[in-house]
């Protein structure tokens, strides 16, 4: 539960959520590829370097992003397995394993509110 709270708290801030979304868009399934350098993130989001550093540290501490070194640059990448773990934790008791027809996890169930988060 503490890990979930830390992750959700990290994402419950506008700049950090924007950073995470940018890193998801720049993701590659190949470990040594994908991601963005800090300067690229700062430029894309219009965030000052010191502010960006603080937010990257928070996301790293929450386990939602990882970094690797390429030459003199640090490349940040979304850790999608961490997000999958978080969503699995949140949905673990969905329907207590027996989804009914009104449950959003049941095939053919009523449409979810997913579109509300698309903006």
């Amino acid at each position: 539960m503490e890990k979930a709270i830390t992750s959700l708290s990290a994402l419950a801030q506008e700049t950090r959520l924007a950073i995470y979304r940018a890193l998801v868009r720049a993701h590659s399934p190949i470990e040594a590829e994908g991601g963005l350098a800090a300067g690229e993130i700062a430029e894309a989001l219009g965030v000052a370097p010191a502010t960006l550093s603080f937010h990257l540290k928070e996301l790293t501490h929450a386990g939602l992003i990882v970094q690797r070194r390429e030459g003199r640059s640090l490349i940040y990448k979304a850790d999608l397995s961490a997000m999958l773990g978080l969503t699995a934790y949140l949905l673990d008791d969905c329907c207590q394993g027996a989804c009914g027809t009104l449950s959003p996890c049941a095939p053919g169930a009523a449409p979810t509110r997913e579109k509300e988060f698309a903006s």
Side-chain angles (χ1 to χ4, degrees), residues 60-89:
T60 301
H61 173 72
L64 295 169
I65 65 173
V66 294
Q67 67 181 17
R68 70 177 187 279
R69 184 167 293 280
E70 283 187 10
R72 292 176 28 173
S73 297
L74 288 176
I75 307 299
Y76 293 89
K77 188 173 179 178
D79 184 347
L80 297 186
S81 64
M83 181 55 72
L84 290 172
L86 175 61
T87 56
Y89 171 78

Side-chain angles (χ1 to χ4, degrees), residues 36-58:
L36 297 169
E40 293 175 304
I41 299 168
E43 184 178 325
L45 300 178
V47 178
T51 303
L52 179 67
S53 179
F54 169 77
H55 291 304
L56 290 171
K57 180 181 145 205
E58 291 295 310

Side-chain angles (χ1 to χ4, degrees), residues 99-117:
C99 292
T101 57
L102 298 178
S103 170
C105 59
T112 65
R113 297 175 16 181
E114 184 176 293
K115 292 180 182 177
E116 289 180 26
F117 299 103

